[in-house]
């Protein structure tokens, strides 16, 4: 491999790594949301369903999202901030809906049918389309605009593959780790059996923590997306307030600045999400009444 090609590959990998760091919140959310789609399935079908969702995620990224993102960035870049605002608002809505469920609200869809594998996969791929769009658009916005079309495409391909492997590899591990614990419980060594029992007992708590982390990540990422892209379009108010507060705590160090930025973005995301929930709820109730 020539030195020039090695340099290009190094540039692509470096840019992909930097851009991937900006998508961490959505990636956490994606990994936290997906396991719910395989809960209730027989253990023999769990990995099969995860694999089908993984293939759907790859289709979303490489057939739908990346081509459209590159076309928009080339011919209508002004559309991207508005798409990010819409996507961020959706994340805020999803996060706020989960928060209201913590306090006893229920957003039942009224679906009493048995869990159908095909519907589960379709629902998971549809959710992945939204989250993957956010991941790829954030990554695209983080890349150098002078990078060039082929370098940009290469970086997005690396990010898409890397994020898919990371998310669904983690999901596969999460959904099967209790089976690993059960297998360890059958071991002849007492210490190994105890370790297996601890794994099995801990998994409900692990999934609860993942759900909380995913919800906070949704609110943080969604709020930050909306604040940043509102400032890039037509309203600087939230961004100016955020910058004023973070400047006020700069003396405390970068960690405090990051925590403050994240907390305020999450609060903004929760507030926006609750407003959307309040607006959508009457429409949902009216639809259910009509369907009856």
């Amino acid at each position: 491999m020539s030195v020039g090609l090695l340099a290009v590959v190094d540039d692509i990998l470096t840019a992909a790594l930097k851009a991937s760091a900006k998508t961490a919140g959505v990636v956490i959310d994606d990994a936290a949301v997906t396991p719910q789609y395989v809960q209730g399935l027989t253990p023999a079908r769990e990995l099969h369903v995860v694999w089908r969702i993984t293939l759907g995620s790859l289709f979303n990224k490489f057939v739908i999202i990346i081509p459209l993102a590159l076309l928009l960035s080339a011919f209508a870049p002004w559309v991207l901030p508005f798409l990010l605002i819409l996507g961020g608002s959706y994340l805020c809505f999803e996060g706020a809906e989960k928060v209201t469920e913590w306090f006893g609200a229920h957003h039942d869809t009224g679906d009493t049918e048995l869990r159908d594998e095909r519907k589960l996969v379709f629902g998971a791929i549809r959710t992945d389309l939204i989250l993957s769009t956010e991941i790829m658009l954030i990554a695209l916005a983080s890349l150098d605009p002078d990078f060039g079309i082929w370098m940009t495409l290469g970086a997005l391909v690396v990010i898409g593959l890397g994020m898919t492997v990371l998310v669904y590899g983690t999901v596969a591990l999460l959904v099967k780790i209790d089976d690993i614990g059960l297998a360890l419980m059958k071991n002849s060594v007492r210490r190994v059996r105890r370790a297996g029992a601890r794994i099995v007992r801990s998994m409900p708590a692990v999934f609860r923590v993942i759900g909380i982390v995913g919800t906070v990540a949704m609110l943080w990422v969604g709020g930050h997306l909306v604040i940043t892209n509102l400032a890039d379009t037509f309203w600087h108010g939230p961004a100016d307030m955020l910058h004023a507060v973070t400047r006020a705590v700069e003396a405390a160090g970068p960690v405090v600045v990051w925590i403050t930025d994240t907390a305020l973005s999450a609060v903004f995301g929760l507030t926006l999400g609750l407003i959307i929930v309040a607006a959508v709820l009457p429409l949902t109730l009216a639809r259910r009444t009509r369907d009856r």
Side-chain angles (χ1 to χ4, degrees):
M1 186 178 293
S2 68
V3 176
L5 183 56
L6 283 174
V8 170
V9 172
D10 182 65
D11 288 343
I12 290 174
L13 293 177
T14 301
L17 184 61
K18 290 181 180 178
S20 297
K22 302 287 186 69
T23 68
V26 189
V27 172
I28 292 171
D29 177 48
D30 203 356
V33 167
T34 306
Q36 69 179 315
Y37 290 100
V38 297
Q39 290 179 6
L41 296 176
T42 59
R45 301 298 299 169
E46 289 175 340
L47 288 182
H48 177 74
V49 169
V50 171
W51 174 243
R52 291 176 62 188
I53 297 170
T54 303
L55 293 178
S57 179
L58 291 171
F59 180 89
N60 287 340
K61 291 180 177 72
F62 295 114
V63 178
I64 301 174
I65 300 169
I66 291 179
L68 286 177
L70 290 175
L71 285 173
L72 287 174
S73 64
F75 299 105
W78 58 270
V79 174
L80 294 177
F82 291 98
L83 291 178
L84 288 168
I85 289 172
L86 288 174
S89 299
Y90 179 82
L91 290 177
C92 293
F93 165 71
E94 287 281 291
E97 196 172 49
K98 291 178 185 292
V99 170
T100 60
E101 289 174 357
W102 294 347
F103 292 94
H106 297 285
H107 306 281
D108 187 12
T109 60
D111 185 10
T112 58
E113 297 181 6
L114 294 175
R115 290 170 66 84
D116 180 78
E117 187 175 299
R118 187 181 303 175
K119 290 182 179 180
L120 290 177
V121 172
F122 178 77
I125 293 174
R126 182 180 56 197
T127 300
D128 174 89
L129 177 62
I130 296 168
L131 294 172
S132 291
T133 298
E134 293 304 303
I135 289 171
M136 302 314 294
L137 288 181
I138 294 170
L140 179 60
S142 303
L143 294 173
D144 188 340
D146 298 325
F147 212 33
I149 183 67
W150 295 113
M151 298 279 282
T152 300
L153 176 60
L156 291 178
V157 167
V158 170
I159 292 167
L161 284 174
M163 293 304 174
T164 303
V165 171
L166 175 63
V167 168
Y168 292 103
T170 302
V171 169
L173 177 62
L174 286 172
V175 300
K176 298 306 291 183
I177 198 167
D178 54 345
D179 292 342
I180 295 173
L182 289 172
L184 292 177
M185 289 173 64
K186 299 176 182 178
N187 194 283
S188 58
V189 180
R190 185 177 182 183
R191 192 182 311 169
V192 176
R193 291 200 303 271
R194 287 182 176 178
R198 282 195 290 268
I199 290 173
V200 173
R201 286 197 302 268
S202 67
M203 287 314 296
V206 169
F207 278 108
R208 282 195 296 271
V209 170
I210 290 173
I212 293 171
V213 171
T215 300
V216 173
M218 256 194 282
L219 295 173
W220 157 42
V221 174
H224 194 76
L225 279 174
V226 174
I227 291 171
T228 302
N229 289 280
L230 280 177
D232 290 339
T233 51
F234 56 88
W235 189 25
H236 289 263
D240 291 342
M241 184 179 300
L242 182 62
H243 291 156
V245 174
T246 53
R247 279 197 300 268
V249 298
E250 277 181 347
V255 174
V256 174
V257 171
W258 182 85
I259 292 173
T260 302
D261 184 290
T262 300
L264 291 177
S265 296
V267 170
F268 178 89
L270 177 60
T271 304
L272 175 61
L274 290 173
I275 292 172
I276 299 173
V277 168
V280 169
L281 185 59
L283 299 177
T284 304
L285 293 175
R287 187 191 65 187
R288 289 180 191 170
T289 303
R290 186 182 67 250
D291 291 343
R292 289 174 186 170

